[in-house]
Amino acid sequence: MADKIKVALNGYGTIGKRVADAVARQDDMALVGIAKTRPDYEAYVAAEKGYDIYAVDAAKAGPVFKEAGLQIAGSNEEMIRKADIVVDATPKGIGAKNKALYEKLGKPAIFEGGEKHELTGISFNAAANFDEAIGKQYVRVVSCNTSALCRLVYAIDSAFGIRHAHVTLVRRAADPDDIKKGPVNAIVPDPITLPSHHGPDVQSVMPHIDIVTAALKVPTTLAHVHSVSISVKGTPLRQDVVDALRKWPRIWLIPPLYGIKSTAGVMELGRVLGRPKGDMMENAVWEESVSVDKNGNISLFQAVHQESDVIPENIDCIRAMTGLAKDKLKSMAKTDRSLGIGTLKPWRDFPPHAEGVEAVTAR
Ligand code: NAP
């Protein structure tokens, strides 16, 4: 562990458990441990994986863990003391409260998209603004929807220059294990007042992008879908847009011959590929959906797996903040190799993408 960056995970739920597993796969990072408030199945799984478990409110929770037969390595404060950096993946609002502890202990911390931009002053997406996070003490990795939008918007903006973007987000109602949220049988404009907060959230990463968003919540747990309309400078050909997207890591152009027609198919692809937890960490852009009209308006659909697309972004954010990497493409390529993010024939072999991947991995 000596020469590796030591990472502590405070908050071990949907995002925290995935970031912990991803950290454990990096050869330049070591997982100090994970913090839990209670001994549920996640705690037993963490113990099975050999992760040290630290208790939140150890004085109260310690005996409960002991009774459950789980060994506790200490309090979450002790865990944080041992770490070089903390990833706070606690529920929305708790991260903001935890910041005082990180400040007291002098530890850099990453917060997730449920926290406000103002908490850190820097909101992060690896492709769009890796450099801004280099050496910083507090950074927020933007939400699942915003991460996916940033990847797409950055790829299109850097290729053509964006005039204006309008995106309608069809949002999953809840994560698969969240039985308390709905709707069960309705489509809910969320929020009903327009525009939604996702546009300003993209601007927290790329302030110069003119973007307006609207969001609807629907009864599904699998993934979000974005209906994207972007007007660009000039009038690129459809193939130019396809090539521009293919060049970027974490944007997967789903070819028509895969036969994938829905979020169910996208998530089944993650499962049959044997991805950890069946995750799909890339934006899944339906290649057939990409179109450009005579005025340079690009339209497309993309699916976004809310539970996992922010995971590689967290890993790159750790590298940027701790100085493990100064080059975003090198960091992204290393992260993606470690997590099995990549490609499947025939998409992998298309020349623009093959060149893009080589360019990324060679650096
Ligand atoms: P989650 O599934 O509810 O997991 C958070 C976990 O934190 C809980 O399971 C809880 O586990 C633990 N916790 C609660 N209070 C704590 C405390 N005081 N100290 C330490 N741990 C505590 O939440 P999530 O979905 O992973 O979301 C985490 C963050 O990621 C939020 O900011 C969210 O907005 C953001 N995010 C979520 C998604 C998504 O789709 N889920 C996507 C992108 C970003 P125990 O009580 O069992 O220990």
Side-chain angles (χ1 to χ4, degrees), residues 10-15 36-38 40 56 89-91 94 112 114 144 172 175 306 310:
N10 200 18
Y12 191 69
T14 303
I15 301 301
K36 284 284 297 170
T37 69
R38 58 197 167 122
D40 60 0
V56 180
T90 57
I94 295 182
E112 301 300 322
C144 47
R172 62 88 178 97
D175 288 338
Q306 77 280 355
V310 301

Side-chain angles (χ1 to χ4, degrees), residues 51-336:
Y51 299 164
D52 283 346
I53 302 172
Y54 292 80
V56 180
D57 196 357
K60 210 165 103 190
V64 185
F65 279 97
K66 197 171 172 195
E67 203 174 314
L70 282 164
Q71 203 184 337
I72 293 302
S75 66
N76 63 339
E77 184 163 333
E78 286 170 290
M79 172 182 79
I80 293 159
R81 278 185 200 282
K82 291 179 194 167
D84 298 315
I85 185 166
V86 188
V87 178
D88 186 306
T90 57
K92 182 179 178 175
I94 295 182
K97 290 187 188 139
N98 286 341
K99 192 179 174 197
L101 177 62
Y102 310 142
E103 283 170 337
K104 184 183 94 175
L105 301 176
K107 300 293 179 180
I110 293 175
F111 299 90
E112 301 300 322
E115 305 304 330
K116 292 196 165 69
H117 170 74
E118 291 67 33
L119 185 68
T120 59
I122 301 176
S123 290
F124 178 86
N125 172 260
N129 70 342
F130 183 95
D131 291 359
E132 263 186 68
I134 292 176
K136 292 296 187 311
Q137 191 74 353
Y138 303 112
V139 179
R140 162 183 175 261
V141 172
V142 290
S143 73
C144 47
N145 277 307
T146 307
S147 291
L149 285 176
C150 285
R151 288 175 186 166
L152 187 83
V153 161
Y154 183 78
I156 293 179
D157 191 47
S158 47
F160 310 110
I162 290 181
R163 284 187 198 282
H164 175 73
H166 190 287
V167 181
T168 301
L169 300 92
V170 182
R171 298 174 47 208
R172 62 88 178 97
D175 288 338
D177 73 342
D178 188 348
I179 56 174
K180 292 186 182 154
K181 287 186 187 158
V184 172
N185 185 24
I187 297 172
V188 183
D190 184 33
I192 207 156
T193 50
L194 291 170
S196 76
H197 71 276
H198 304 91
D201 212 27
V202 170
Q203 289 164 335
S204 74
V205 178
M206 289 174 282
H208 68 284
I209 298 293
D210 180 18
I211 178 168
V212 171
T213 52
L216 301 154
K217 209 157 55 163
V218 298
T220 180
T221 62
L222 290 176
H224 309 295
V225 167
H226 296 168
S227 174
V228 176
S229 171
I230 296 180
S231 68
V232 295
K233 295 167 188 161
T235 48
L237 299 174
R238 177 184 180 277
Q239 192 58 41
D240 297 336
V241 177
V242 167
D243 293 346
L245 295 177
R246 258 195 208 129
K247 267 196 238 171
W248 279 95
R250 303 178 193 168
I251 296 178
W252 191 342
L253 266 288
I254 301 291
L257 59 77
Y258 280 10
I260 291 175
K261 303 289 181 199
S262 70
T263 54
V266 169
M267 295 317 299
E268 184 63 10
L269 176 59
R271 284 191 286 266
V272 297
L273 280 169
R275 293 282 181 83
K277 301 174 192 63
D279 287 345
M280 177 57 73
M281 290 174 269
E282 301 95 328
N283 294 20
V285 176
W286 278 281
E287 190 180 328
E288 294 161 275
S289 73
V290 178
S291 68
V292 187
D293 73 12
K294 61 179 176 7
N295 298 316
N297 297 314
I298 300 168
S299 303
L300 59 84
F301 287 127
Q302 67 175 358
V304 180
H305 183 216
Q306 77 280 355
E307 296 175 286
S308 71
D309 73 323
V310 301
I311 307 309
E313 309 297 331
N314 272 267
I315 297 299
D316 293 324
C317 192
I318 293 171
R319 286 213 182 86
M321 289 172 70
T322 59
L324 273 176
K326 298 238 173 340
D327 179 323
K328 70 178 177 190
L329 292 177
K330 268 190 186 165
S331 178
M332 290 171 80
K334 187 173 173 65
T335 302
D336 290 0

Side-chain angles (χ1 to χ4, degrees), residues 16-30:
K17 66 189 169 201
R18 287 174 166 81
V19 176
D21 288 352
V23 166
R25 283 170 172 252
Q26 307 306 312
D27 62 13
D28 51 357
M29 299 178 197

